Amino acid sequence: MRWLVGWSSTAARALGAETAGATGYDGETLRPVGSHLLWGDPDPLWAVGDWRPDEVRVVHADAQSRIAVLGICGASDEELRRGLLTARGGALRHLTAWPGSYTAVVQAGRRITVCGDLAGARPVFHAPWEGGTAYATAALPLADLTEANLDFGHLAALLAAPEVPAALRDTTPYEGVRRLAPGHALVLRAGAREIVGYEPVASLAVAAPPADPDRAVDAVRDALVEAVRVRLAAPRHVPGLDPGPVPGMGPAERRAARGMPVPGIGADLSGGPASGTLALLAAGLPGRPGTLLGHGTGAGERLLAVTFNDLAVGGREAELERAGALAANPRLHHVVVTGAEDTLPYADLDGPLTDEPGPSLVTAARHRARLAAGSADHFTGHGARQVLDAHPARLADLLLDRQRRHLVRPVAALTRADGSVLVPARVYGAARRLSRTPYRTGLEALAERLMRRRFDEPRGPVGASLAALTWARPGPAARWLTGEALAEVSVLLQTGADRAAGGPGQRPGEFRARTVLARHAADLRVLEQAAEVRSQRLHAPFLDNQVVRACRDLPEALRVKPGARAAVLRTVLEGAGVTDLPPGWGTPSHASSAAAARTGLRLAADSLVDLFDTPLLADAGLVEARVVRKAVRQAAAGEPLPLDGLADLVSLELWLGRLLARRGTCWTGTPARARAVPAGIAPQRGALRAGARPS
C-alpha cells in the first residue's frame, strides 16, 4: 500500500524539515512507519510506502507556498507552480484537471488543501486529532493514530444499502474517521476543517443545452488518449533483479513464481471493448510502449497483452477468440494465463489486510494470477462500464428533459430480451414514476422496505432495469441481516430523508450513476491492495478525472442506445487510426463471471460454512450465523440467491478477521504502539447503536 498522511494542528511550532512529528511519547518521535517526509512542522506531510521517485513531486512558489503531487500527473513543474499560485486565491478545480491519476496537496501558509478525485479511486480521509485535524489517503493510518473502534453502523449500511449515500454518509469502517465525497476538497486552516466541492452544479430548473454527440465523443477520445499518453511518457521501471535460474523454469516462469512483473508497460486483453481499447491505444501511440530490450521477454518494445483463460468455467470462447484476433497486431506480445479450479472465486481466501472491505476480496487470488504475468505498469479497463454506460434510471432523466422519443431504442431492446408485449408499458410507467418521485420519498420508501424485509425483485434483464428505476434500493446482502441491523440503517435513512428536503441536486439517473461509480472505484481500490504484485502499478485511465468529466458530458440520448459503450470506444479507436476490429467486438458478456462465482461457491461451500461457524459479523450483531450458513448451502445447491450479496458477507467477514489478527501499527511514538480496534469485537446485541448516530 502507498498513501500520504499529514495533519494540521492548532499550535504553530517552528518550521523545520527534521522536526516533523516531534510530539511523541517517552522521547520517541511520532511519525508513520516507513515514511518519507515531504515537508515539516507545524503541518507536516509524509509519503508512506514504495512510491517511485517520479510519482512524488514537490514544487515551491516561495518559503510559505508549495504543492505536492503524488501519483501519475501530466503537469510540468511550471504548470504545477502556476496552479499553486492560482490555488492560493481559492480556485481549486484546475488542480484536478491535469491528465493522470494523482492526489494534490497545497500548502499556503497555515492553510492546507487536499483534493480528492471525481470517481473515488483516490479518496481522502480525515479525523480529529490533538485539537486539530489529521488527513490521509488511507483510513487505517488515521484509525491507528486515534485508536478508533469499528463503526458498526457503517458496516451495517455497507451490507444493507452500499450504493445509498444517505446510509453510508461520510463514515468509514473506523469510528471517527471520515471520508471525503468524490468531487470535494478538504481545506484546513490551523486545524479547523472545511469541505468544499470543486465541480459546478447544474441547475435542475432548466434543462442543460443539448450537447453535440460528435464533439462529446471527440472529447472522450482526446481525454482517453491523453490519459494513456501521460503514462507512456513516465519513466520505465525495472523490478528487482532476478536472483538466478531455477531448474526447469524460464525467465518468465521465474518472475511469475517469485511475484515479479515483467519490466515495461502492458495491458489486459480480455476480448472486451474497454481493455482492448487501452491495449490498442497504448500499442499504437508514438514512443516505445512495451517491454524493455534486454530484460528477458524477447519481445523488444512490443506491448505485453495478457489474457486470462478460465479452464474451469466455459462461456468465454468468443471473447478469447476476439482477444487472439486483436493480439495479431505486430506491436502486441500476447500472453495467455490459464486458470483452473484453484483460481475460481472463493478458492483462495488468504491475503493481505486492505484499508477497507470490498467484495473483490473473494476474487483477489484470481486477479493476482493474471497480474503476476503482467508488466510493471499495467493497464486495466476497470470503470469503463460505469462511466460510459447508461444506468437504467437515466430513462427518468430523459422524461424530465422531455426527450421521450429516445426511450424507444432501449425499451425495444428490453422487449426483445423478455419477449413480452407488456415491457414498454412497465418500463415507461416505472421511469415516469421515478421522474415524479422526490428524493426524500425515495429514501423513505427504502427505509420502509428494510423495516418490512421486502427484498424480492423481478428477475431477468427487464426485472433488473425495473428494480434500478428508483432513487435507492437495498443491497444484495440486506436479506441476511438481523432485524436490529436493518432497523439501524432504516433510522439512518429516515434521518437522511429529513435532511434531504431539497434533494441531492442531481437528476435521479445521474445521481444513481455517480453512486454506482463511487462503489466500483472503492472496490477497485480494495482489489489493487488485495491482489498487489510487488513493483507493479495498475492503471485505470477510465477513472481519471478528465476522462470521467468527458464521459459525463455525453448526451443522454447517446448513452441509452444499446451498444453505446462499444460504439463510443470504436469511434475513439478510429480517431487514433485503429479500424480493423474483429467481428463481434464490443458484445457484452456477463454469464461467465456469474458461472465462475457459482462454481467457486459450490466448490468452497464447506470452507465457507466453517468460516461462518462463529463469525465476527454475528458478534457485531449484523447477522445470525445459522442464517448465513443456510444461505451458503442453498446457493451451492443452485438456488437462485444473489451471489453478490454472499460475496459482500464473505469479504466483510474475511476483512474483520484480518484486521483483528494484525499486530503492527502504522505509527511510531504512540503510547503502547496504539492501533485501530484495540479491544476487538465484544459480542453484544446493542453494538450497532453507538455507531449509528447521525453525523
Side-chain angles (χ1 to χ4, degrees), residues 1-5 34-36 38 46-57 69-72 101-103 122 137 237 537:
M1 288 177 60
R2 292 166 297 280
W3 64 85
L4 63 87
V5 60
S35 62
H36 169 66
L38 300 182
W46 292 275
V48 186
D50 59 335
W51 292 96
R52 295 170 175 173
D54 58 289
E55 291 177 330
V56 180
R57 286 192 290 165
V69 175
L70 289 87
I72 300 294
S101 178
Y102 57 89
T103 301
R122 300 183 70 92
T137 53
H237 292 272
R537 297 290 188 270

Side-chain angles (χ1 to χ4, degrees), residues 454-548:
R454 297 203 307 264
F455 304 118
D456 293 332
E457 293 178 346
R459 297 174 185 167
V462 176
S465 298
L466 293 174
L469 280 164
T470 178
W471 278 106
R473 60 184 295 193
R479 66 187 63 223
W480 295 301
L481 296 187
T482 62
E484 181 189 11
L486 293 175
E488 297 285 355
V489 179
S490 180
V491 170
L492 288 175
L493 291 169
Q494 291 284 2
T495 304
D498 293 338
R499 297 180 177 182
Q506 300 164 29
R507 288 171 168 77
E510 180 184 0
F511 175 75
R512 288 297 308 277
R514 295 194 182 200
T515 60
V516 170
L517 174 60
R519 167 75 165 164
H520 175 79
D523 190 48
L524 175 61
R525 180 170 171 265
V526 172
L527 175 62
E528 288 178 342
Q529 298 167 10
E532 184 176 21
V533 175
R534 186 179 58 183
S535 301
Q536 185 180 68
R537 297 290 188 270
L538 296 185
H539 301 282
F542 285 102
L543 297 180
D544 287 5
N545 282 345
Q546 288 300 81
V547 177
V548 171

Side-chain angles (χ1 to χ4, degrees), residues 191-202:
R193 181 182 68 250
E194 180 185 4
I195 297 174
V196 297
Y198 56 75
E199 285 292 282
V201 179

Side-chain angles (χ1 to χ4, degrees), residues 382-460:
H382 286 285
R385 179 176 292 110
Q386 287 71 28
V387 298
L388 288 172
D389 284 9
H391 191 280
R394 288 190 183 271
L395 299 179
D397 294 359
L398 291 174
L399 293 180
L400 287 172
D401 293 338
R402 301 182 181 277
Q403 299 185 40
R404 293 179 178 84
R405 67 185 184 280
H406 296 299
L407 271 68
V408 174
R409 286 192 177 184
V411 170
L414 288 173
T415 302
R416 288 193 296 271
D418 187 84
S420 172
V421 296
L422 300 178
V423 169
R426 295 171 63 195
V427 173
Y428 180 81
R432 189 167 180 266
R433 281 192 301 273
L434 177 57
S435 67
R436 298 185 174 189
T437 301
Y439 177 62
R440 176 174 181 170
T441 303
L443 292 183
E444 292 173 343
L446 176 59
E448 181 72 12
R449 287 189 64 180
L450 295 179
M451 286 294 291
R452 298 184 178 275
R453 305 186 71 91
R454 297 203 307 264
F455 304 118
D456 293 332
E457 293 178 346
R459 297 174 185 167

Side-chain angles (χ1 to χ4, degrees), residues 111-193:
R111 186 178 68 185
I112 303 289
T113 303
V114 191
C115 295
D117 67 336
L118 289 176
R122 300 183 70 92
V124 176
F125 304 90
H126 58 92
W129 182 74
E130 293 291 318
T133 301
Y135 62 91
T137 53
L140 184 57
L142 299 183
D144 280 347
L145 184 65
T146 60
E147 292 191 279
N149 289 310
L150 288 171
D151 187 336
F152 297 105
H154 175 85
L155 298 180
L158 202 60
L159 294 173
E163 295 178 2
V164 184
L168 295 173
R169 301 161 291 154
D170 63 346
T171 57
T172 67
Y174 313 101
E175 196 170 31
V177 179
R178 304 293 179 178
R179 179 197 308 272
L180 212 62
H184 286 71
L186 177 68
V187 181
L188 305 173
R189 294 179 177 88
R193 181 182 68 250

Side-chain angles (χ1 to χ4, degrees), residues 344-350 361-363 596-615 617 625-636 643 645-654:
L344 285 171
Y346 304 99
D348 181 4
L349 296 181
D350 292 330
L361 289 180
V362 302
T363 59
R598 189 169 293 281
T599 303
L601 181 66
R602 176 173 54 82
L603 295 177
D606 292 339
S607 63
L608 294 179
V609 169
D610 293 340
L611 178 68
F612 285 96
D613 186 25
T614 55
L617 288 174
R626 61 176 182 81
V627 173
V628 180
R629 291 196 297 267
K630 179 181 177 182
V632 170
R633 294 190 184 99
Q634 289 175 330
L643 300 184
L646 288 174
D648 288 343
L649 289 174
V650 173
S651 60
L652 184 51
E653 178 67 24
L654 290 173

